[in-house]
């Protein structure tokens, strides 16, 4: 009897874990790279998201991914406008990814409320969808207003101002 109960418990546990896999986030991985400078001196960034279904990658997820990359990861500009076909590294605005952990409530509200999307403009007709194995790669070019994003974080005392010195 105990073995039967234990077997039933293991079966239910396996079912629960498969249910959790079904509820996994749609976007599985994100990569970004720069494509030069757009209007107003704003960087153009290509955001590529991988997902099981291409239609599940929304414009809001593209915008949030671009802002997260600019804030916490930085990006590499490999455009042909760089001299001698070299790449230019742009460091993360926040300095390191630990800032997101330190200010978890602030950044959760920032991304969930849609405020992050205010700093991103999607370049029209740049969405590309390709299939790679079992996942779709959805790419979109966006323009991020880095100076306005930096000044907002400075006003909210999340990062130090560049004028404050060392």
């Amino acid at each position: 009897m105990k073995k039967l109960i234990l077997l039933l418990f293991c079966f239910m546990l396996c079912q629960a874990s498969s249910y959790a896999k079904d509820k996994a986030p749609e976007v599985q991985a994100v990569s970004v790279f720069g494509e030069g400078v757009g209007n107003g001196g704003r960087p153009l960034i290509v955001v590529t998201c991988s997902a099981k279904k291409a239609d599940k990658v929304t414009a809001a997820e593209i915008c949030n991914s671009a802002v997260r990359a600019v804030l916490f990861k930085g990006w590499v500009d490999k455009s042909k406008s760089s001299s001698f076909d070299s790449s230019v590294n742009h460091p993360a605005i926040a300095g390191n990814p630990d800032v997101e952990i330190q200010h978890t409530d602030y950044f959760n509200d920032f991304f969930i409320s849609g405020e992050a999307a205010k700093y991103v403009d999607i370049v029209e007709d740049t969405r590309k969808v390709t299939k790679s194995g079992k996942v779709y790669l959805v790419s979109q070019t966006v323009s991020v207003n880095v100076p306005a994003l930096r000044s907002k974080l400075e006003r909210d005392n999340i990062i130090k101002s560049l004028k404050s010195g060392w």
Side-chain angles (χ1 to χ4, degrees):
M1 184 68 178
K2 289 181 181 180
K3 289 182 181 181
L4 181 64
I5 293 174
L6 183 63
L7 186 62
L8 183 63
F9 178 75
C10 290
F11 176 74
M12 291 175 60
L13 187 62
C14 290
Q15 291 296 325
S17 67
S18 68
Y19 178 74
K21 289 179 186 175
D22 292 341
K23 295 296 180 181
E26 296 297 332
V27 175
Q28 298 171 351
V30 176
S31 66
V32 297
F33 67 90
E35 232 184 40
V37 179
N39 292 341
R42 296 179 184 173
L44 292 175
I45 298 175
V46 177
V47 179
T48 304
C49 298
S50 65
K52 289 184 179 181
K53 295 181 181 179
D55 59 342
K56 297 293 182 180
V57 179
T58 63
E61 287 179 342
I62 296 276
C63 292
N64 284 344
S65 298
V67 171
R68 277 190 190 280
V70 168
L71 286 176
F72 307 117
K73 289 174 38 179
W75 73 97
V76 177
D77 188 357
K78 295 184 178 181
S79 68
K80 293 179 180 165
S81 64
S82 300
S83 61
F84 300 108
D85 203 25
S86 63
S87 61
V88 178
N89 289 331
H90 297 276
I93 291 176
N96 60 20
D98 295 337
V99 174
E100 183 178 16
I101 296 168
Q102 293 170 354
H103 303 282
T104 303
D105 294 336
Y106 176 83
F107 286 114
N108 284 343
D109 291 341
F110 183 70
F111 288 109
I112 291 172
S113 69
E115 190 173 353
K118 294 178 185 177
Y119 300 97
V120 179
D121 294 323
I122 294 178
V123 178
E124 297 297 320
D125 299 329
T126 58
R127 186 176 176 103
K128 296 177 188 169
V129 178
T130 56
K131 187 166 184 177
S132 176
K134 293 184 178 183
V135 297
Y136 288 92
L137 300 175
V138 180
S139 299
Q140 182 93 39
T141 303
V142 297
S143 173
V144 180
N145 191 348
V146 176
L149 186 59
R150 175 180 287 283
S151 65
K152 180 191 180 3
L153 294 177
E154 288 172 356
R155 280 191 315 267
D156 294 343
N157 292 322
I158 302 299
I159 61 173
K160 291 184 179 180
S161 172
L162 292 176
K163 296 176 185 176
S164 67
W166 307 104

